[in-house]
Structure formats: C-alpha cells, structure tokens
C-alpha cells in the first residue's frame, strides 16, 4: 500500500495488496453528484449532529459508492449512497457513541427498524430521523429490486443491526469475544454483505440459487468479506485507540490476546491474513470472469469493485 495509508496507522505494518488490488480503481463519473445528493438527503433526514462530521461522511460514502458501482446509473448510485450513509450514521451515533452506555435504548431503536424491515409499516407520526430515513430507503429499494433481491437485502440489513448491537454489547469487554466469533461477525459490522447484495440490484443482474451456492461464489464472497473487515480494523486502529476509553474491538486486539504478541506483530499477522484473502479473491474473480456473458462474470466484477472500494477507503481522512 501507499505511504499515505501506512502513515494513517502510524507506520504499523499494513498489507501489501499491490499484486491483487493495485489500483487505480475505476470510479463513477457521478462521484461529485453523489456527494451533493447525500448532503441534500441529510438535510431532509438529519442523521448527524455535526456539520463537519456530516461533510466527511458524505464524502467517504459518495467516493466509496462511486468505486463500488463505477458503471451504475445515477439513481442506483444515489440510492446505494443514501443506504450506506444511513447505516454508517446509525452505527456512529447509536452504536459506537451511545450503545455501550445505554444498550436498552439501542435495542429499542433497532426493534423499530426491524419492524419496518419485516413489513410492519407502523404509523409514521412519531418517526425520528433514522426511522423516517429507513422508511424512505425501503420504499425506493422495493421499486428497484426483485422480490428475492429485496428479501435478501433486508435480511442483510437485519444482520447489520444485530452486528451493531453485538459490538456495542462487547465494547467494554472485548476479552469475552473469541477470535472465531469475531471473524464470523465482522462482515456484518462492516456492512460488506449488504454492499454485495446492493450491487446486484444496482447493476441489474441476479445469480440463480445454484450459482449462489457454488463453492467458487461462496469462497469469493467470504474472502472479500473478511478482507473488508480486517483492513478496516487495521486502518481504524490508531483513530479508535487514540480516543481513550475502552480498547477497540478489532482483529489486532484479539490477535494480541490469542497469540500473546505485541501490537506490531499483531499487525503483521493481520496483514498476512488480509493478503491471503486478497489472493483467494483474485483467483476466484479471474476464474468466474472468464465468461464475459454470464451472471457469474457480472458478480465477479462486482466483487472486485467491492474489494477495491474497501482497499481505497482505508486511506480516507475519516481514519486519520
């Protein structure tokens, strides 16, 4: 990776992904329009309290979505950006900031969201900004997705909400989390499975159930999901550790405990784990993309863009 990314985590070892996801990454020509749209959407649904944090959030969301979906149309890009802005803001405000202090309140917030995801369209008269925004997103998603895509996407959103709750529950006691449990939950807290499901909607393809169940697709998606969570852990460690307070729940922290090593060695181990998953992803992308007219090829290219967006976004100022 570049020197900029290395400096973001204070020169701790970082994965070398130049051979697997080297960049520069394809980017939608609508990136600036996405950023303007998300800023407008936040004015309708004020999800963050600080104008400065809203600006940073709009920028990283817009630029990330522009790399996840470089060939998508404007409306798909706007919808996907608003969706991931909502998820990130919900996690920042209700998960990380207040979830550990008041888990019961977080449970109540999530329960309202789950009711909407399940189709229980309760009265909008007492919606807060997050519930109203989710209602808007679900209406727009139903208009674009097939019934199966919509069910899959809302299932992933429920996983995300549970992941936020799970992480908030463990914020003060990361020692209670096993490494295997963490690796299983991390894709849900970094939202990458939802990104994958959204890509199918936005790019207009849909895998059959037999294609989705194939070993190649499952292994590709797992490799990309693991890579997304782990490189995010490495990039965000310095910022999270610098806040003071509880030790961040992240891969390096768990490796320090399980391998009985120091921080630098934990970063080195985690970097090798990232490199291994990036290599696995690249092998499957190359194989599945060989038939350029098959939905599997579309999916391979989409997973490549998902991985590229996570590799790109760890160098963003949000993680400085």
């Amino acid at each position: 990776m570049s020197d900029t990314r290395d400096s973001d985590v204070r020169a701790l070892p970082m994965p070398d992904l130049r051979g697997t996801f080297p960049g520069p990454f394809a980017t939608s020509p609508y990136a600036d329009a996405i950023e303007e749209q998300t800023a407008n959407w936040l004015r309708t649904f004020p999800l963050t309290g600080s104008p400065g944090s809203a600006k940073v959030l709009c920028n990283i969301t817009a630029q990330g979505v522009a790399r996840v979906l470089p060939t998508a149309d404007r409306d798909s890009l706007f919808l996907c950006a608003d969706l991931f802005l909502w998820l990130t803001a919900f996690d920042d405000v209700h998960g990380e900031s207040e979830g550990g202090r008041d888990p019961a309140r977080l449970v109540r917030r999530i329960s309202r969201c789950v009711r909407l995801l399940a189709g229980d369209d309760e009265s909008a008269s007492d919606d807060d900004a997050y519930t109203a925004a989710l209602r808007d997103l679900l209406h727009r998603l139903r208009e674009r997705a097939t019934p199966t895509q919509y069910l899959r996407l809302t299932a992933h959103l429920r996983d995300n909400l549970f992941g936020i709750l799970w992480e908030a529950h463990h914020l003060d006691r990361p020692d209670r989390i096993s490494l295997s449990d963490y690796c299983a939950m991390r894709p849900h807290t970094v939202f990458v499975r939802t990104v994958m499901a959204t890509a199918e909607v936005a790019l207009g393809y849909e895998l059959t159930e037999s294609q989705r169940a194939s070993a190649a697709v499952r292994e590709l998606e797992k490799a990309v999901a693991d890579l997304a969570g782990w490189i995010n852990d490495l990039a965000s460690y310095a910022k999270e550790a610098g806040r003071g307070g509880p030790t961040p729940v992240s891969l390096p922290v768990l490796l320090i405990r399980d391998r009985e090593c120091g921080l630098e060695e934990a970063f080195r181990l985690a970097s090798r784990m990232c490199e291994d998953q990036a290599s696995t992803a690249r092998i499957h992308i190359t194989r599945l993309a060989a038939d350029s007219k098959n939905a599997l090829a579309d999916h391979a290219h989409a997973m490549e863009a998902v991985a590229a967006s996570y590799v790109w976004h760890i160098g963003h100022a949000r993680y400085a």
Side-chain angles (χ1 to χ4, degrees), residues 281-302:
R282 176 52 63 191
I283 289 169
H284 287 301
I285 288 167
T286 300
R287 290 175 179 170
L288 292 174
D291 184 351
S292 61
K293 296 182 180 179
N294 191 299
L296 288 171
D298 293 334
H299 195 60
H301 292 307

Side-chain angles (χ1 to χ4, degrees), residues 229-297:
W230 296 346
I231 60 176
N232 183 277
D233 282 352
L234 297 177
S236 62
Y237 180 88
K239 176 185 176 182
E240 292 179 349
R243 292 173 179 166
T247 302
V249 180
S250 68
L251 181 61
V253 171
L254 297 178
L255 288 173
I256 290 169
R257 183 197 68 194
D258 283 20
R259 304 296 174 85
E260 298 182 344
C261 63
L263 179 61
E264 185 171 345
E265 178 60 19
F267 262 70
R268 190 169 288 110
L269 289 169
S271 294
R272 286 200 293 270
M273 291 168 65
C274 290
E275 290 161 3
D276 289 344
Q277 292 298 66
S279 295
T280 298
R282 176 52 63 191
I283 289 169
H284 287 301
I285 288 167
T286 300
R287 290 175 179 170
L288 292 174
D291 184 351
S292 61
K293 296 182 180 179
N294 191 299
L296 288 171

Side-chain angles (χ1 to χ4, degrees), residues 31-42:
D32 291 342
I34 303 169
E35 188 166 354
E36 182 179 353
Q37 147 67 20
T38 53
N40 290 334
W41 194 72
L42 272 187

Side-chain angles (χ1 to χ4, degrees), residues 113-173:
C113 296
V114 170
R115 287 182 64 181
L116 283 179
L117 291 169
D120 183 358
D121 197 8
E122 58 186 307
S123 171
S125 60
D126 60 346
D127 277 355
D128 62 10
Y130 282 89
T131 310
L134 180 58
R135 191 186 301 278
D136 171 73
L137 289 166
L138 294 179
H139 173 74
R140 292 157 65 191
L141 285 166
R142 277 192 294 267
E143 291 184 333
R144 295 191 67 87
T146 68
T148 300
Q149 287 174 332
Y150 183 80
L151 288 174
R152 183 176 296 113
L153 185 50
T154 52
H156 284 304
L157 286 170
R158 282 191 290 271
D159 290 341
N160 296 149
L161 292 170
F162 175 71
I164 290 170
L165 180 61
W166 176 87
E167 189 170 47
H169 175 69
H170 290 96
L171 280 176
D172 62 336
R173 289 295 303 273

